[in-house]
Every structure is written in C-alpha cells, then in structure tokens.
Amino acid sequence: MNSEKCLYCGTDRATWNEKGKIGCIHCLKLFRKEYQEHLRPKDFKFSTQSLQGKEFEDLLRFESFSESRKILELDRIAPPFTYRLRIGRNLSGRIYPTVTRTTIGVPTKIFKEFLIHTLNVDPTFLEAKDFPTRIPWGEGSLFFGDEDHLRWEVLAPTISELFRQIERSPLEKLEDQNLFDYDPEFGYVTSCPTNAGSGVKISFKLSIKSWRNRKNISFKIPDFLEFYPENSSEFAVFYLKNFTFSQKNSFLNLVYYLALQVELAF
C-alpha cells in the first residue's frame, strides 16, 4: 500500500498521509475514500437551545424577514464583524502547485491565456517579469501561489457590502465544470479535501475581546461552525466551508444568532 503513487503527479501514499492533500484530480483514483472522509457537509442547521426570553423571540422575528430585510437589519444593528468570501479552483487536468512547488503550477503562457481569454483579466496586470501573486478581478481579487491554481476573495465591513460585491462580480465564469477540476460526486476538487465541494468558504471575524465579553458565557458555538485565532489570538475567525449561495438565508440567520451575543452598535 505504501508504494501507491499517482502516475500523473507523483503523489504517493506517504505524502497523502503526511499532508492530507492531493496533487491533481487523478489522485482520486488512489485516495478517493480518504478524500471523501474529509469533505465538509453541504448543509448546516443550528439549534437555538442556548437562547431564552427576548433573544429567542428576536431570532424568531428575524427568521421571518425576507433576505433583503435581514441584510438591512444586520446593517442597522452593526455587529462588530468583518466578512470574507473565498472561492478556490484548479484548472482542469493540471497538476497543483503543492506538487510543482511553483507559484501557479501551470505553464505561465497557458495560465496567462486562460486568465485573459476566459476570465477577461486585463493583460496589463500580467506584463511584469514575475507572475503576480494577486490581481484585481470583479469586486475582489484573484490570488495565486497557494495550494490551488487560483483563489478569488472579497472582504467587506458589512454584510450588505459583502453580497453587493459578490453580486457585482462575474462569478459565473468560475462555475464552468469543464474548465475546472470537477467530480460529479464531490463537486469542485481542491488540493485539500476540506475546501472541496462548492469550493467556497465564507467567514466573519471579530475581536477575541468582544467574544469573551459576550452576554451569555455558556453560549455554545454551533458544531458545524469552525474557527481559528488570528493575529496572535487578537481575533477569532468563524467560517463555513462548502458554502453555496442557496444557503444565503441560513447564513444571515447564523450571523444574527451570533450577533445577539456581542455588544452591538445600536
């Protein structure tokens, strides 16, 4: 078993066991079962058991709102969160940067042609001798040099600004299953299986101080919501992977649910 190796990119069993990442979509022929075990669920639900009295009533009231009204309400109460959405993609059939150990993992000429002719990137951003690690695209930025070929990100100080930027960006260009590595069972394939599926990660950040001073110390974070400390534990980042835009309404409910626990601006 330890001699198993992907004939396309060279990733072997030992590398998978050590890093938990694949080097190309062909690796799924060897590590499909293990890869699947790390996929994030497609749906999320949360319990309101830790809410009582007015907080519980406020959440029920909020859940009855339309999406547009929920966004207006979240902007009004202004929870101390900043928001980020990230989309990861790999060009169809190409070896990933984790194996090639280069910035993009794809021959520069081919990758530039893809960016210019498929994603309509302004060629002037690609004229420098060294390939850029970041260029503007839509309302956000495309990043290169990570474990996948490309990553699009957008940051926003409010929930309305987040979805405004998303809606004004040509994200349909990132949804072509023929252009990017895609598995009918798993969805979009990424080097790390926790990023696969929709390939979308949505998150919000707040200060650790705000969280420690929350109203209900016994308040439980939903099991499906992951988090990590940032900037030497100055901030906490809560995030969902395998997010789809059909879950927008549920995400708004989740943000409000957590906002009930922190000091608000109104």
Side-chain angles (χ1 to χ4, degrees):
M1 293 292 289
N2 290 333
S3 63
E4 289 179 294
K5 178 183 290 189
C6 176
L7 297 178
Y8 194 81
C9 72
T11 299
D12 57 18
R13 175 69 60 177
T15 301
W16 166 262
N17 290 341
E18 177 187 356
K19 299 181 178 180
K21 297 178 181 179
I22 60 174
C24 68
I25 194 171
H26 304 285
C27 287
L28 293 181
K29 296 176 182 178
L30 293 176
F31 312 120
R32 188 174 188 87
K33 181 179 178 181
E34 297 91 331
Y35 190 92
Q36 185 175 21
E37 290 173 352
H38 294 281
L39 295 176
R40 292 300 187 259
K42 296 180 180 179
D43 300 305
F44 65 90
K45 296 180 181 179
F46 61 93
S47 171
T48 58
Q49 291 180 355
S50 62
L51 298 182
Q52 297 179 354
K54 187 176 184 302
E55 288 181 348
F56 180 72
E57 294 173 0
D58 286 345
L59 181 61
L60 289 181
R61 178 181 61 87
F62 183 83
E63 288 179 334
S64 70
F65 293 167
S66 65
E67 282 189 4
S68 58
R69 188 176 175 187
K70 286 178 180 180
I71 290 174
L72 290 174
E73 179 67 6
L74 284 169
D75 279 359
R76 184 187 73 82
I77 66 176
F81 304 155
T82 55
Y83 305 88
R84 180 197 303 258
L85 183 126
R86 182 199 74 187
I87 302 176
R89 292 288 186 266
N90 285 300
L91 272 63
S92 181
R94 294 284 177 176
I95 296 175
Y96 303 158
T98 49
V99 173
T100 62
R101 301 184 186 280
T102 61
T103 300
I104 53 178
V106 176
T108 302
K109 182 179 179 181
I110 293 175
F111 199 57
K112 284 185 176 181
E113 289 178 351
F114 170 81
L115 293 174
I116 294 170
H117 299 299
T118 303
L119 298 189
N120 300 125
V121 167
D122 186 338
T124 59
F125 292 126
L126 305 173
E127 291 177 349
K129 179 181 178 181
D130 296 326
F131 200 90
T133 57
R134 172 182 178 177
I135 58 174
W137 190 75
E139 294 286 313
S141 297
L142 286 171
F143 290 83
F144 316 102
D146 203 349
E147 59 193 31
D148 297 311
H149 290 142
L150 60 87
R151 183 180 81 247
W152 182 77
E153 287 191 9
V154 64
L155 297 168
T158 65
I159 199 77
S160 62
E161 180 63 12
L162 175 73
F163 285 107
R164 184 196 69 80
Q165 292 180 2
I166 291 170
E167 291 164 2
R168 293 185 61 178
S169 298
L171 299 187
E172 68 279 357
K173 295 182 181 295
L174 300 180
E175 297 301 323
D176 190 331
Q177 298 172 9
N178 296 315
L179 293 176
F180 302 103
D181 276 349
Y182 186 87
D183 181 271
E185 182 181 6
F186 299 160
Y188 291 99
V189 177
T190 53
S191 179
C192 181
T194 64
N195 294 323
S198 67
V200 180
K201 173 183 175 182
I202 193 167
S203 63
F204 51 96
K205 180 173 71 174
L206 72 158
S207 72
I208 291 292
K209 182 179 179 181
S210 295
W211 186 246
R212 286 175 177 167
N213 292 337
R214 60 189 181 276
K215 299 174 183 177
N216 182 359
I217 299 300
S218 63
F219 175 81
K220 301 297 183 182
I221 300 172
D223 293 339
F224 60 81
L225 189 62
E226 301 177 74
F227 73 97
Y228 61 87
E230 186 177 86
N231 290 357
S232 300
S233 298
E234 181 181 357
F235 297 98
V237 179
F238 295 90
Y239 63 92
L240 291 168
K241 292 186 175 182
N242 204 8
F243 176 79
T244 63
F245 293 109
S246 63
Q247 298 169 325
K248 178 181 177 181
N249 189 57
S250 295
F251 179 72
L252 296 174
N253 292 341
L254 176 63
V255 172
Y256 185 80
Y257 175 64
L258 294 177
L260 290 173
Q261 297 303 312
V262 298
E263 292 296 328
L264 303 178
F266 69 101

CSV table of all heavy atoms in Angstrom, one decimal, residues 23 90 94-108 111 131-133 143-150:
chain,number,residue,atom,x,y,z
A,23,GLY,N,-2.3,16.0,-5.3
A,23,GLY,CA,-1.5,16.8,-6.3
A,23,GLY,C,-2.2,17.1,-7.6
A,23,GLY,O,-1.8,17.9,-8.4
A,90,ASN,N,-9.1,24.9,-9.5
A,90,ASN,CA,-8.0,24.3,-10.2
A,90,ASN,C,-8.3,24.1,-11.6
A,90,ASN,O,-9.4,23.5,-11.9
A,90,ASN,CB,-7.5,23.0,-9.5
A,90,ASN,CG,-6.8,23.2,-8.2
A,90,ASN,OD1,-5.8,23.8,-8.1
A,90,ASN,ND2,-7.4,22.6,-7.1
A,94,ARG,N,-4.8,19.7,-14.6
A,94,ARG,CA,-3.5,20.2,-14.4
A,94,ARG,C,-3.0,19.8,-13.0
A,94,ARG,O,-3.7,19.7,-12.0
A,94,ARG,CB,-3.4,21.7,-14.5
A,94,ARG,CG,-3.7,22.2,-15.9
A,94,ARG,CD,-2.5,22.0,-16.8
A,94,ARG,NE,-2.8,22.4,-18.2
A,94,ARG,CZ,-1.9,22.4,-19.2
A,94,ARG,NH1,-0.6,22.0,-18.9
A,94,ARG,NH2,-2.2,22.7,-20.4
A,95,ILE,N,-1.7,19.7,-12.9
A,95,ILE,CA,-1.0,19.4,-11.6
A,95,ILE,C,-1.1,20.6,-10.7
A,95,ILE,O,-0.9,21.7,-11.2
A,95,ILE,CB,0.4,18.9,-11.8
A,95,ILE,CG1,0.4,17.6,-12.6
A,95,ILE,CG2,1.1,18.7,-10.4
A,95,ILE,CD1,1.8,17.1,-12.9
A,96,TYR,N,-1.3,20.4,-9.4
A,96,TYR,CA,-1.5,21.5,-8.5
A,96,TYR,C,-0.1,22.1,-8.0
A,96,TYR,O,0.9,21.4,-8.0
A,96,TYR,CB,-2.3,21.1,-7.3
A,96,TYR,CG,-3.7,20.5,-7.6
A,96,TYR,CD1,-4.3,19.7,-6.7
A,96,TYR,CD2,-4.3,20.8,-8.8
A,96,TYR,CE1,-5.6,19.1,-7.1
A,96,TYR,CE2,-5.5,20.3,-9.2
A,96,TYR,CZ,-6.2,19.4,-8.3
A,96,TYR,OH,-7.4,18.9,-8.6
A,97,PRO,N,-0.1,23.4,-7.5
A,97,PRO,CA,1.1,24.0,-7.1
A,97,PRO,C,1.7,23.3,-5.9
A,97,PRO,O,2.9,23.4,-5.7
A,97,PRO,CB,0.6,25.4,-6.6
A,97,PRO,CG,-0.6,25.7,-7.5
A,97,PRO,CD,-1.3,24.3,-7.6
A,98,THR,N,1.0,22.5,-5.1
A,98,THR,CA,1.5,21.8,-4.0
A,98,THR,C,2.6,20.8,-4.4
A,98,THR,O,3.5,20.4,-3.7
A,98,THR,CB,0.4,21.0,-3.2
A,98,THR,OG1,-0.4,20.3,-4.1
A,98,THR,CG2,-0.4,22.0,-2.4
A,99,VAL,N,2.5,20.3,-5.7
A,99,VAL,CA,3.4,19.3,-6.2
A,99,VAL,C,4.5,20.0,-7.0
A,99,VAL,O,5.7,19.7,-6.9
A,99,VAL,CB,2.7,18.3,-7.1
A,99,VAL,CG1,3.7,17.4,-7.8
A,99,VAL,CG2,1.7,17.5,-6.3
A,100,THR,N,4.1,21.0,-7.9
A,100,THR,CA,5.1,21.6,-8.8
A,100,THR,C,6.0,22.6,-8.0
A,100,THR,O,7.1,22.9,-8.5
A,100,THR,CB,4.4,22.4,-9.9
A,100,THR,OG1,3.6,23.4,-9.3
A,100,THR,CG2,3.5,21.5,-10.7
A,101,ARG,N,5.5,23.0,-6.8
A,101,ARG,CA,6.3,24.0,-6.0
A,101,ARG,C,6.6,25.3,-6.8
A,101,ARG,O,7.6,25.9,-6.6
A,101,ARG,CB,7.6,23.3,-5.5
A,101,ARG,CG,7.3,22.1,-4.6
A,101,ARG,CD,8.6,21.5,-4.1
A,101,ARG,NE,8.4,20.3,-3.4
A,101,ARG,CZ,7.9,20.1,-2.2
A,101,ARG,NH1,7.6,21.2,-1.5
A,101,ARG,NH2,7.8,19.0,-1.6
A,102,THR,N,5.7,25.7,-7.6
A,102,THR,CA,5.8,26.9,-8.3
A,102,THR,C,4.6,27.8,-8.0
A,102,THR,O,3.6,27.3,-7.4
A,102,THR,CB,5.9,26.7,-9.8
A,102,THR,OG1,4.6,26.1,-10.3
A,102,THR,CG2,7.0,25.9,-10.2
A,103,THR,N,4.7,29.1,-8.3
A,103,THR,CA,3.6,30.0,-8.0
A,103,THR,C,2.2,29.5,-8.5
A,103,THR,O,1.2,29.6,-7.7
A,103,THR,CB,3.9,31.4,-8.5
A,103,THR,OG1,5.1,31.8,-8.0
A,103,THR,CG2,2.8,32.4,-8.1
A,104,ILE,N,2.2,29.1,-9.7
A,104,ILE,CA,0.9,28.8,-10.3
A,104,ILE,C,0.7,27.3,-10.6
A,104,ILE,O,-0.4,26.8,-10.8
A,104,ILE,CB,0.6,29.6,-11.5
A,104,ILE,CG1,1.7,29.5,-12.5
A,104,ILE,CG2,0.3,31.1,-11.1
A,104,ILE,CD1,1.5,30.3,-13.8
A,105,GLY,N,1.8,26.6,-10.8
A,105,GLY,CA,1.7,25.1,-11.1
A,105,GLY,C,1.2,24.8,-12.5
A,105,GLY,O,1.0,23.7,-12.8
A,106,VAL,N,1.1,25.8,-13.3
A,106,VAL,CA,0.7,25.7,-14.7
A,106,VAL,C,1.7,26.5,-15.6
A,106,VAL,O,2.1,27.6,-15.1
A,106,VAL,CB,-0.7,26.2,-15.0
A,106,VAL,CG1,-1.1,26.1,-16.4
A,106,VAL,CG2,-1.7,25.4,-14.1
A,107,PRO,N,2.1,26.0,-16.8
A,107,PRO,CA,3.0,26.8,-17.6
A,107,PRO,C,2.4,28.2,-17.7
A,107,PRO,O,1.3,28.5,-18.0
A,107,PRO,CB,2.9,26.1,-19.0
A,107,PRO,CG,2.7,24.6,-18.6
A,107,PRO,CD,1.8,24.7,-17.4
A,108,THR,N,3.3,29.2,-17.6
A,108,THR,CA,2.9,30.6,-17.5
A,108,THR,C,2.1,31.1,-18.7
A,108,THR,O,1.1,31.7,-18.5
A,108,THR,CB,4.1,31.5,-17.3
A,108,THR,OG1,4.9,31.1,-16.1
A,108,THR,CG2,3.7,33.0,-17.2
A,111,PHE,N,-1.4,29.7,-18.5
A,111,PHE,CA,-2.2,30.3,-17.5
A,111,PHE,C,-2.6,31.7,-17.8
A,111,PHE,O,-3.7,32.2,-17.6
A,111,PHE,CB,-1.4,30.2,-16.2
A,111,PHE,CG,-2.3,30.4,-14.9
A,111,PHE,CD1,-3.3,29.5,-14.7
A,111,PHE,CD2,-2.0,31.4,-14.0
A,111,PHE,CE1,-4.1,29.7,-13.6
A,111,PHE,CE2,-2.8,31.6,-12.9
A,111,PHE,CZ,-3.9,30.7,-12.7
A,131,PHE,N,5.4,36.5,-12.2
A,131,PHE,CA,4.0,36.3,-12.2
A,131,PHE,C,3.4,36.9,-10.9
A,131,PHE,O,3.9,36.6,-9.8
A,131,PHE,CB,3.6,34.9,-12.3
A,131,PHE,CG,2.1,34.7,-12.8
A,131,PHE,CD1,1.8,34.6,-14.1
A,131,PHE,CD2,1.1,34.6,-11.8
A,131,PHE,CE1,0.5,34.4,-14.5
A,131,PHE,CE2,-0.2,34.4,-12.3
A,131,PHE,CZ,-0.5,34.3,-13.6
A,132,PRO,N,2.4,37.7,-11.0
A,132,PRO,CA,1.8,38.4,-9.7
A,132,PRO,C,1.2,37.4,-8.8
A,132,PRO,O,0.8,36.3,-9.2
A,132,PRO,CB,0.8,39.4,-10.3
A,132,PRO,CG,0.4,38.7,-11.6
A,132,PRO,CD,1.6,38.1,-12.2
A,133,THR,N,1.2,37.7,-7.5
A,133,THR,CA,0.5,36.8,-6.6
A,133,THR,C,-0.9,37.3,-6.3
A,133,THR,O,-1.7,36.5,-5.7
A,133,THR,CB,1.3,36.8,-5.2
A,133,THR,OG1,1.4,38.2,-4.7
A,133,THR,CG2,2.7,36.2,-5.4
A,143,PHE,N,-6.0,35.5,-6.3
A,143,PHE,CA,-4.7,35.2,-5.6
A,143,PHE,C,-4.1,34.0,-6.3
A,143,PHE,O,-4.8,33.0,-6.6
A,143,PHE,CB,-4.9,35.0,-4.1
A,143,PHE,CG,-5.2,36.2,-3.4
A,143,PHE,CD1,-6.6,36.7,-3.3
A,143,PHE,CD2,-4.3,37.0,-2.7
A,143,PHE,CE1,-6.9,37.8,-2.6
A,143,PHE,CE2,-4.6,38.1,-2.0
A,143,PHE,CZ,-5.9,38.5,-1.9
A,144,PHE,N,-2.8,33.9,-6.3
A,144,PHE,CA,-2.1,32.8,-6.9
A,144,PHE,C,-0.9,32.4,-5.9
A,144,PHE,O,-0.5,33.3,-5.1
A,144,PHE,CB,-1.5,33.1,-8.3
A,144,PHE,CG,-2.5,33.8,-9.2
A,144,PHE,CD1,-2.4,35.2,-9.4
A,144,PHE,CD2,-3.5,33.1,-9.8
A,144,PHE,CE1,-3.3,35.9,-10.2
A,144,PHE,CE2,-4.4,33.8,-10.6
A,144,PHE,CZ,-4.3,35.2,-10.8
A,145,GLY,N,-0.4,31.2,-6.0
A,145,GLY,CA,0.7,30.8,-5.2
A,145,GLY,C,0.4,30.0,-4.0
A,145,GLY,O,1.2,29.8,-3.1
A,146,ASP,N,-0.9,29.7,-3.8
A,146,ASP,CA,-1.3,28.9,-2.7
A,146,ASP,C,-1.3,27.4,-3.1
A,146,ASP,O,-0.7,27.0,-4.1
A,146,ASP,CB,-2.7,29.3,-2.2
A,146,ASP,CG,-3.0,29.0,-0.8
A,146,ASP,OD1,-2.2,28.2,-0.2
A,146,ASP,OD2,-3.9,29.5,-0.2
A,147,GLU,N,-2.1,26.6,-2.5
A,147,GLU,CA,-2.1,25.1,-2.8
A,147,GLU,C,-3.0,24.8,-4.0
A,147,GLU,O,-2.9,23.7,-4.6
A,147,GLU,CB,-2.7,24.3,-1.6
A,147,GLU,CG,-4.1,24.7,-1.2
A,147,GLU,CD,-4.4,24.2,0.2
A,147,GLU,OE1,-3.5,24.0,1.0
A,147,GLU,OE2,-5.6,23.9,0.4
A,148,ASP,N,-3.8,25.8,-4.4
A,148,ASP,CA,-4.7,25.6,-5.6
A,148,ASP,C,-4.2,26.6,-6.7
A,148,ASP,O,-3.6,27.6,-6.4
A,148,ASP,CB,-6.1,25.7,-5.3
A,148,ASP,CG,-6.6,24.7,-4.4
A,148,ASP,OD1,-6.3,23.5,-4.6
A,148,ASP,OD2,-7.3,25.0,-3.3
A,149,HIS,N,-4.7,26.4,-7.9
A,149,HIS,CA,-4.2,27.3,-9.0
A,149,HIS,C,-4.7,28.8,-8.8
A,149,HIS,O,-3.9,29.7,-9.0
A,149,HIS,CB,-4.8,26.8,-10.3
A,149,HIS,CG,-4.2,25.5,-10.8
A,149,HIS,ND1,-4.8,24.5,-11.4
A,149,HIS,CD2,-2.9,25.1,-10.7
A,149,HIS,CE1,-4.0,23.5,-11.7
A,149,HIS,NE2,-2.8,23.8,-11.3
A,150,LEU,N,-5.9,28.9,-8.4
A,150,LEU,CA,-6.4,30.3,-8.1
A,150,LEU,C,-7.4,30.4,-7.0
A,150,LEU,O,-8.1,29.4,-6.7
A,150,LEU,CB,-6.9,30.9,-9.4
A,150,LEU,CG,-8.1,30.3,-10.1
A,150,LEU,CD1,-9.4,30.8,-9.6
A,150,LEU,CD2,-8.1,30.5,-11.6
